[in-house]
Amino acid sequence: MKKQLALWLALVLLVSALAGCSGSSTDTGIPAAAFSTQSVLTLPLKAELNSGDYLTYGGHQFTSKKSLSKMADLIVKNNENVTAAEFKNAYGDSWLFSREVTGGVDSWCLYQQDPANIKNSYIFSGMHRELTTQDGAMELLLPLHLISDSYIRDNMGNRLSLDHAYACGVEDQESTVQQLFETFYQNSGFYTISPLDDGFALTPKQGLRLQLKIAFTQQDGSDYFTISDITERAPEPSENVTVRWVMSEDSEAQTASPDSADALQMSALLIGAAYTDGAAAVEYPYSIDVDGETYSARLLWNDTDSTWSGTVYHNGKTAALSTSEASELAALMYQIGFYMPDESVAEADPENVTPMSACMATTTEVNVRLAPNTSGTIERTLEKDAPVAVVGKLDGWYQILFCGHVAYMSADYLRAA
C-alpha cells in the first residue's frame, strides 16, 4: 500500500512538472505590440503561450483550435479602430490588422506558424524583424502578410540578412508585389520612399540614417525580395595611402607612402575638403590613392603673398584648398620627399630636427630666416596671421617649407592655425 501511494505521488509530481514546462496560460488574451509605437492589440483567447517567444518583435506563438477567420473577428471586435484584411500567399493564409496613428499606420499580423507540418499553431505579432547592417542592428518594419519565406515567419527570433533573397507574393491581387510593398511602407509613415529601376529605396525617418534598397526578382514563377544597403558613406581616414608624383611629361613618376600618422593626416585632409561638382581645367601632378580611392592634387606657391594654394579633384568633384589646407598638404608632401630642400639656399643644415607636418600661423610680424638663429639671413618678413607650412621643429625654431626650400621661424611667434 505504501509503495502504491508513493508511486501515485511521484506520478502526480511528474504530471505537474510537465504541465509547468508546457508554457504559461493567459486568461486576458494574447498581446501583440506594434513596430514603432508599441501599441498593443489583444486577441481575446485563452491559450497556452510560449513565453520565450515574446521578443522585441512584440508577438507570441500559441496553440488554438479556432480558425484564423474566427480569431480575426475577435481581434476586430475587441480592439478599437482596427481594420482587418485577409491575404493568401504560397505559405498560407494571413491577416493584416491596421490602426491609424499620428503620422501613419500601426500594423500587426496573425498567421499559422507552419501550415504544412504543424497543426493548430499560430503567431500573432508586430510587423518587424531585426536587420544587421554595417552601422549596427536596426528594427525594420516588414510586411509579413506578403512574405512566404518560412525562415522569417516560423521563428520570431530570426534576423534579416542583407543581400539575401526571400520568397514573397500573394494570390488574387491586382497590384504587383512591389506595389503592395511600397504601399505598405508608404502608409506606415515611418519611411521615405524613392523609386528605383528594379525596386525602391527606403530611408527611415528616425534611428539609423540608412538608405536601404528593396529589389524584386522572379524565379520559376515565384517572387523574391532582397534588401541591400545603398547608403552613401563618407570615406574614413586611412593609413593605406600611396602618393604618385609626375612633375612633367618627360620626367619619371615617383611613388612613396607616408608613415601611418602622416597617412591618416593626409587622407583626412583630402576627404574633408570642400568639394563642389565639376572638374577644373588644370594639371594635377599628384595622384594620391586612399584605400583604392584616387585623389588628384596640385600645389602652387604664390611668391607675392608667400602662401601655398592647392586644388584637389575626386569623383567628378573639385575642391579649392584653403591656404591652411594647402600649407598642410605641402608639409606632408615634403615628408615623403616630393619637396626636397634647395641646399644652395639654406645657410645651415641643423641636426636633431624633429619632423612634423602642420599648418601654423604667425602671431605677429615674423622674420623668415635661412638658418635657425638670429644671425641667419632674413629672406622675408611675414605679416600677422600668415599661414606657414611647418615641416620640423628644433630648439626654439620651426623649420618651414617656404618657396620650394626650407627656412626657419622663431617658435615664439607661431601658433596652431
Side-chain angles (χ1 to χ4, degrees):
M1 184 66 178
K2 290 182 179 180
K3 289 183 178 181
Q4 290 177 337
L5 181 59
L7 181 62
W8 181 81
L9 287 172
L11 182 60
V12 169
L13 290 173
L14 178 61
V15 171
S16 299
L18 290 174
C21 293
S22 65
S24 58
S25 63
T26 173
D27 295 323
T28 57
I30 302 167
F35 162 63
S36 180
T37 65
Q38 295 297 301
S39 177
V40 174
L41 282 194
T42 301
L43 168 57
L45 189 71
K46 185 175 181 179
E48 293 293 327
L49 304 180
N50 184 344
S51 58
D53 290 328
Y54 193 84
L55 304 176
T56 58
Y57 310 114
H60 276 293
Q61 294 179 4
F62 65 96
T63 58
S64 175
K65 293 183 178 180
K66 284 188 178 293
S67 67
L68 274 172
S69 59
K70 291 288 187 183
M71 287 188 281
D73 289 339
L74 288 172
I75 291 171
V76 173
K77 290 178 181 178
N78 290 274
N79 295 271
E80 293 184 358
N81 304 319
V82 172
T83 59
E86 185 179 11
F87 292 83
K88 185 177 181 65
N89 55 43
Y91 194 87
D93 294 327
S94 64
W95 283 84
L96 170 68
F97 303 94
S98 304
R99 180 160 60 192
E100 290 188 9
V101 294
T102 302
V105 175
D106 272 343
S107 53
W108 301 260
C109 199
L110 172 67
Y111 56 92
Q112 196 168 351
Q113 181 183 3
D114 187 357
N117 302 298
I118 304 175
K119 189 177 182 180
N120 300 331
S121 179
Y122 299 92
I123 292 176
F124 181 39
S125 75
M127 306 277 279
H128 47 295
R129 294 291 184 265
E130 187 176 278
L131 175 68
T132 302
T133 73
Q134 177 179 327
D135 298 324
M138 65 175 291
E139 300 285 353
L140 179 68
L141 187 63
L142 204 63
L144 294 175
H145 57 294
L146 306 177
I147 296 172
S148 52
D149 194 292
S150 60
Y151 173 81
I152 299 176
R153 292 165 56 104
D154 280 356
N155 185 347
M156 290 185 290
N158 286 333
R159 269 65 169 171
L160 287 167
S161 299
L162 290 171
D163 304 314
H164 179 86
Y166 295 101
C168 60
V170 290
E171 297 180 5
D172 303 323
Q173 291 289 331
E174 295 180 0
S175 303
T176 65
V177 178
Q178 178 176 331
Q179 290 170 337
L180 292 171
F181 265 73
E182 285 190 50
T183 300
F184 174 77
Y185 282 113
Q186 193 71 55
N187 291 342
S188 74
F190 302 130
Y191 302 92
T192 300
I193 312 296
S194 305
L196 299 173
D197 290 341
D198 55 349
F200 58 91
L202 196 68
T203 305
K205 294 181 179 179
Q206 295 182 346
L208 293 176
R209 302 309 299 167
L210 296 176
Q211 187 173 48
L212 303 174
K213 175 183 178 180
I214 301 185
F216 298 85
T217 56
Q218 273 201 337
Q219 184 178 347
D220 299 327
S222 298
D223 293 297
Y224 293 86
F225 76 97
T226 303
I227 303 172
S228 304
D229 187 348
I230 59 171
T231 308
E232 289 190 8
R233 293 177 172 84
E236 296 288 334
S238 171
E239 296 181 4
N240 184 21
V241 176
T242 302
V243 184
R244 185 173 180 269
W245 181 41
V246 179
M247 282 308 294
S248 67
E249 293 181 359
D250 299 329
S251 62
E252 294 184 359
Q254 301 181 50
T255 303
S257 295
D259 63 28
S260 58
D262 284 349
L264 287 171
Q265 186 178 346
M266 183 181 291
S267 58
L269 188 155
L270 295 171
I271 291 167
Y275 291 93
T276 57
D277 290 333
V282 297
E283 294 293 329
Y284 294 99
Y286 304 105
S287 178
I288 306 171
D289 184 284
V290 180
D291 264 344
E293 291 287 322
T294 300
Y295 295 81
S296 301
R298 75 165 184 165
L299 290 166
L300 296 175
W301 172 260
N302 186 329
D303 197 49
T304 302
D305 298 332
S306 299
T307 57
W308 290 96
S309 64
T311 309
V312 178
Y313 173 80
H314 175 64
N315 280 354
K317 296 184 177 183
T318 305
L321 299 179
S322 66
T323 51
S324 59
E325 289 172 330
S327 298
E328 183 180 339
L329 184 58
L332 289 162
M333 289 295 192
Y334 171 81
Q335 300 300 347
I336 53 179
F338 288 163
Y339 278 110
M340 298 303 293
D342 186 345
E343 295 180 359
S344 65
V345 175
E347 294 182 352
D349 186 16
E351 298 179 355
N352 304 320
V353 176
T354 302
M356 62 181 292
S357 303
C359 175
M360 302 188 77
T362 57
T363 59
T364 185
E365 287 189 354
V366 187
N367 293 326
V368 178
R369 297 181 181 272
L370 295 183
N373 54 66
T374 55
S375 300
T377 301
I378 297 174
E379 182 171 9
R380 196 162 308 174
T381 300
L382 296 185
E383 296 180 354
K384 180 182 178 182
D385 296 327
V388 292
V390 177
V391 296
K393 186 177 183 180
L394 62 162
D395 292 340
W397 294 86
Y398 281 111
Q399 189 179 59
I400 68 172
L401 185 62
F402 192 82
C403 192
H405 60 268
V406 292
Y408 300 88
M409 299 187 78
S410 171
D412 293 335
Y413 306 112
L414 285 180
R415 60 172 174 79

